[in-house]
Amino acid sequence: MDSAVRDIEFLARSEHRLGTLEALSDGRHDRRDLRAATGASDPTIGRVVRDFEDRSWIVRDGPCYELTPLGEFVTERFLDLCEGMRTGETLREVWQWLPREMEGFAVEHFEDAVVAYPGPNYPYTPVERVTHLLESTDSIRGLGTTIYKSGNLDVFCRRVIEGMEMEYVYSLPVLQAIVDWNPELTARAFERDNCTVFLHDDLPDDSRCGLNIMDDCIGICGHDPETAQLEAVIDTATPEAREWAETVYEQCLEDARPFDVREMDTTGSNSRETSLRVESR
């Protein structure tokens, strides 16, 4: 086994070793501080600090211990590895809904993400998460299939009618499906001055997921392309993720066109001509 892998295993096998490194990354501590930080006994802390001294990761100064420059380097890299593995575990169940075509997407921007997906006995978790997000924001911008199924469209339209600022970029088939779901309710929402709709013929990841930007977070919603069932919601408040989402949205908006109701199929039995705001750009 490679010596680097052995050192990783050495740290990963013991919560007390990892806890000691985390404590010392905040500054110098004596053994009493380290016992309090890790919950380890005095003999255990004694073994931990001796092992770290043998590896030149820490140095003793009087009663206190502190990281050496080498120890700082090892600690930072190991904690980054732990954080990355935690993120990987969080996103493992929803990896197929993560963007592939939206330029600049990076998994590390979603280290603090909240992930909602259907459980074996309760399939409504993603719908409830979207409802919570809609109820918690006063503005929303988005693209693609982020708000698609009727379970969320009721809340979405109500929030727009109540005054939530909404600007969305849709493909024509998705917009048609939304209007067909409830022509009267969508007409009431879309005719509001606080509601603006654009169309785009080639949205990135349009068959897999959509993107929305709210007051306090951004979110990715993944839908089954065959059933339109909401399969996953991944939202985060990290500044890096928001910067990425803003960039993707603005790029799509540049290539979008104002909605023209004449593009809508209004001949079906469940549809009627809908008054939508046409935005000139």
Side-chain angles (χ1 to χ4, degrees):
M1 184 184 297
D2 183 87
S3 60
V5 175
R6 284 197 296 269
D7 275 344
I8 292 173
E9 185 183 24
F10 166 76
L11 288 172
R13 280 203 321 261
S14 169
E15 293 183 3
H16 296 145
R17 292 172 187 150
L18 180 55
T20 299
L21 283 183
E22 289 180 316
L24 291 173
S25 68
D26 292 330
R28 61 204 308 265
H29 293 293
D30 61 21
R31 286 170 62 149
R32 183 174 58 182
D33 294 335
L34 295 176
R35 290 199 307 271
T38 63
S41 66
D42 189 63
T44 298
I45 288 297
R47 288 193 297 270
V48 169
V49 296
R50 284 194 298 273
D51 286 338
F52 286 177
E53 286 178 308
D54 289 344
R55 287 170 167 78
S56 300
W57 293 350
I58 66 172
V59 64
R60 183 174 180 175
D61 181 12
C64 292
Y65 296 88
E66 60 185 356
L67 293 175
T68 64
L70 176 60
E72 291 176 356
F73 175 82
V74 169
T75 300
E76 181 180 349
R77 294 303 176 90
F78 187 78
L79 293 180
D80 284 346
L81 174 62
C82 291
E83 189 62 41
M85 296 305 291
R86 280 191 288 266
T87 301
E89 184 178 6
T90 298
L91 299 176
R92 184 179 301 159
E93 299 295 332
V94 297
W95 67 269
Q96 64 267 46
W97 309 114
L98 298 178
R100 299 176 187 172
E101 300 172 1
M102 296 182 192
E103 187 175 347
F105 172 78
V107 171
E108 55 263 34
H109 296 164
F110 289 78
E111 289 183 347
D112 297 326
V114 176
V115 176
Y117 57 92
N121 300 315
Y122 192 72
Y124 307 110
T125 302
V127 173
E128 291 180 354
R129 183 62 183 172
V130 172
T131 295
H132 169 75
L133 295 173
L134 289 173
E135 297 283 14
S136 305
T137 188
D138 292 323
S139 67
I140 188 168
R141 290 168 291 152
L143 55 91
T145 56
T146 54
I147 311 295
Y148 198 18
K149 289 290 285 184
S150 60
N152 291 131
L153 282 170
D154 273 320
V155 180
F156 184 67
C157 289
R158 173 175 59 78
R159 292 290 291 121
V160 171
I161 292 168
E162 290 172 349
M164 179 180 70
E165 293 290 334
M166 175 275 217
E167 182 180 275
Y168 253 75
V169 182
Y170 290 114
S171 67
L172 184 58
V174 168
L175 182 59
Q176 182 75 61
I178 290 172
V179 172
D180 286 347
W181 159 73
N182 190 326
E184 293 186 3
L185 182 58
T186 52
R188 286 181 59 203
F190 288 165
E191 68 189 3
R192 300 275 302 186
D193 288 341
N194 52 293
C195 177
T196 307
V197 176
F198 295 94
L199 288 178
H200 196 293
D201 293 326
D202 190 25
L203 285 172
D205 292 299
D206 197 34
S207 64
R208 300 174 54 257
C209 63
L211 178 68
N212 53 42
I213 304 169
M214 293 156 285
D215 291 349
D216 299 323
C217 67
I218 67 101
I220 297 168
C221 294
H223 287 79
D224 185 304
E226 299 298 325
T227 66
Q229 177 70 39
L230 182 61
E231 296 289 348
V233 181
I234 306 109
D235 61 272
T236 179
T238 64
E240 296 83 2
R242 188 172 194 88
E243 182 179 358
W244 164 76
E246 296 271 7
T247 300
V248 170
Y249 183 78
E250 292 300 325
Q251 288 173 344
C252 291
L253 198 58
E254 287 179 2
D255 296 328
R257 64 184 183 277
F259 174 74
D260 187 336
V261 71
R262 290 171 295 185
E263 295 186 67
M264 186 74 69
D265 176 13
T266 59
T267 61
S269 60
N270 292 327
S271 300
R272 67 176 177 82
E273 187 160 334
T274 307
S275 175
L276 298 180
R277 180 181 178 191
V278 178
E279 178 74 7
S280 60
R281 299 178 66 240

